[in-house]
Amino acid sequence: FGSSSTCHFSPTPSPAMYDARGYDYDYSDGDKLYLKCAVSAPVAGGIIGAKGQAVAAAQQQCGGQIKLSDKNSLFPGTGDRVVVLCGSTQELKELFNYVLSKSVEANGGPVSEFKLVMANSAVSRILGKGGETVRAIQQSTGGRCSAKDSPPGVDERLVVLTGDDGPLRSMVAQIAAKINEDQGFRQTAMNLSYGGDWGGAPAAPARG
């Protein structure tokens, strides 16, 4: 996803548009693409903004939809909330730029890590036979992609991307194209309910 963006995120939302958890949206359209990520509480707060104004403005100006897990529904083994972006290729690019900009704001400068969430079947697609696919992604982008173990009872995993701004964007673009071909990913993309007492549990070690 290139660094240029046509969205300017001015605070001009319509309050009626705000539904951070996206319950009123229809995600059944097979032409829509998804990107699912895990973000810290400060980043999630920046995405939503005061009274939901920031996320409403992003959706209004960029198109597509943003959905967040409840503040008490964290990805297992982490303290992170889960964010789903949904829309056309261009909308997904713009919404990713928005989320990345909020990560930069919360970090106080450039970020070198971005966490994706995906079904186990999608992780297998990214890794490829004998790791061929992930090696190709890393070699073409200059970044690194590591898959963590799946938490007990959860058919999803974290995939941690590391690198500078350019490699991160390139990796996300390549991975988004591949995982949206995976039916398992598309079936679980809108799941934002993670039960159990997971808060603050140590994350599984990265592999890959």
Side-chain angles (χ1 to χ4, degrees):
F1 290 4
S3 59
S4 61
S5 173
T6 57
C7 284
H8 299 291
F9 311 123
S10 57
T12 56
S14 166
M17 290 182 61
Y18 174 55
D19 181 356
R21 291 173 295 176
Y23 291 135
D24 296 333
Y25 298 134
D26 177 12
Y27 292 91
S28 61
D29 187 343
D31 293 332
K32 291 183 178 179
L33 303 176
Y34 304 89
L35 190 67
K36 193 170 185 178
C37 51
V39 302
S40 66
V43 176
I47 291 170
I48 297 171
K51 298 182 180 179
Q53 290 185 338
V55 70
Q59 292 177 135
Q60 186 178 57
Q61 294 171 26
C62 296
Q65 293 107 24
I66 302 175
K67 183 176 178 180
L68 292 91
S69 65
D70 184 79
K71 64 181 180 180
N72 294 318
S73 184
L74 308 176
F75 189 80
T78 77
D80 296 334
R81 291 175 68 175
V82 178
V83 180
V84 175
L85 311 179
C86 174
S88 66
T89 300
Q90 183 62 27
E91 289 168 345
L92 208 64
K93 172 184 173 180
E94 300 292 355
L95 292 174
F96 168 73
N97 287 341
Y98 172 70
V99 171
L100 191 60
S101 73
K102 295 303 178 182
S103 297
V104 171
E105 288 180 12
N107 190 54
V111 297
S112 59
E113 179 180 282
F114 196 81
K115 302 174 187 176
L116 298 178
V117 178
M118 62 187 75
N120 288 328
S121 57
V123 174
S124 296
R125 184 181 291 264
I126 295 303
L127 295 177
K129 184 178 180 180
E132 291 179 354
T133 303
V134 72
R135 282 197 296 271
I137 292 173
Q138 293 177 149
Q139 291 171 0
S140 66
T141 63
R144 181 167 177 77
C145 175
S146 299
K148 293 192 174 183
D149 291 334
S150 180
V154 179
D155 191 31
E156 291 180 303
R157 299 164 68 178
L158 285 180
V159 173
V160 181
L161 311 181
T162 54
D164 294 333
D165 182 82
L168 283 179
R169 292 177 185 276
S170 296
M171 283 190 291
V172 168
Q174 291 190 38
I175 290 172
K178 292 184 180 297
I179 60 179
N180 274 280
E181 298 173 350
D182 182 75
Q183 190 61 32
F185 171 74
R186 297 183 68 85
Q187 289 175 344
T188 60
M190 298 314 301
N191 171 48
L192 291 171
S193 177
Y194 298 97
D197 184 14
W198 300 103
R207 302 187 306 181

